[in-house]
Amino acid sequence: MSFFIEQMKPEDWEQVLEIYYHGMETQNATFEMNEPDWKSWDDWDRDHLPQCRLVFREGEKILGWASLLPISAREAYQGVAEVSIYLHKDAMGKGIGTKLLQALIEASEEAGMWTLQSEIFPENTGSMKLHEKMGFRKVGFREKIGQMEDGRWRDVVLVERRSQRVGCK
């Protein structure tokens, strides 16, 4: 079976959403606990940067996806985006996250992004290790920044990666 990374397409939506729902179930990938804010491809498409949304595919099966959200509509922040990366539960620990995040970094730099950031639950050690491996550094800790539906308050670690090719170096 061949593996490849390509641009996400509308017809990928069901598999992308299924992988996101698995992330929700872990309670270590997102604050979302029920339905996400985006209920359809059109909602999701409107929020995410079109040139920076990728899927890792094995044949017709999507094993992971990554995308970027702009952090602000202000001109000064046009090169700063938030990373989302989710892996299928059967794809964990196989190097897919590394390949996908590397491809997202490359796509982001081609799109003129100079800073990528992510907020990660400290308990999500796999995601922390992946981001650190790919050149992200810890820049902050946000204590009890959000509350889960069950009432638990959660912390996040803020990580960022500055491009060595784009923007102020």
Side-chain angles (χ1 to χ4, degrees):
M1 191 64 67
S2 63
F3 298 90
F4 53 96
I5 296 173
E6 66 179 3
Q7 281 292 116
M8 186 186 296
K9 301 176 285 223
E11 52 268 25
D12 296 330
W13 177 244
E14 286 184 31
Q15 289 187 68
V16 165
L17 193 56
E18 177 186 330
I19 292 168
Y20 184 76
Y21 281 142
H22 169 71
M24 288 173 55
E25 290 169 8
T26 70
Q27 295 189 8
N28 274 334
T30 178
F31 278 105
E32 296 280 2
M33 302 263 313
N34 292 313
E35 290 291 318
D37 291 339
W38 23 268
K39 307 273 192 277
S40 69
W41 167 260
D42 291 336
D43 292 339
W44 190 90
D45 180 51
R46 190 173 24 257
D47 291 342
H48 294 77
L49 296 174
Q51 65 275 40
C52 296
R53 44 177 86 159
L54 305 172
V55 293
F56 186 101
R57 195 181 295 280
E58 177 186 30
E60 292 300 312
K61 183 175 182 176
I62 295 173
L63 296 178
W65 62 271
S67 66
L68 294 180
L69 283 158
I71 63 137
S72 175
R74 295 176 69 188
E75 181 81 19
Y77 296 109
Q78 67 183 343
V80 184
E82 181 178 348
V83 172
S84 290
I85 183 166
Y86 288 85
L87 298 180
H88 189 280
K89 59 187 171 189
D90 298 334
M92 306 284 186
K94 297 181 179 179
I96 292 170
T98 299
K99 292 174 183 155
L100 196 51
L101 190 51
Q102 180 61 47
L104 185 67
I105 290 167
E106 290 169 11
S108 75
E109 290 179 334
E110 289 173 20
M113 298 287 143
W114 57 79
T115 299
L116 299 181
Q117 68 180 40
S118 192
E119 293 181 327
I120 305 170
F121 292 128
E123 298 85 1
N124 191 342
T125 56
S127 187
M128 287 297 301
K129 288 177 185 176
L130 171 63
H131 283 78
E132 288 173 359
K133 176 181 176 180
M134 300 307 297
F136 286 74
R137 64 186 178 94
K138 295 176 187 173
V139 294
F141 183 81
R142 303 181 82 190
E143 185 177 2
K144 297 178 181 165
I145 193 69
Q147 189 175 24
M148 302 297 281
E149 187 177 78
D150 62 8
R152 286 179 300 140
W153 289 93
R154 301 290 299 271
D155 305 331
V156 295
V157 178
L158 179 61
V159 297
E160 75 173 22
R161 181 186 186 282
R162 293 288 305 208
S163 173
Q164 297 302 304
R165 293 182 22 205
V166 180
C168 179
K169 297 169 189 101

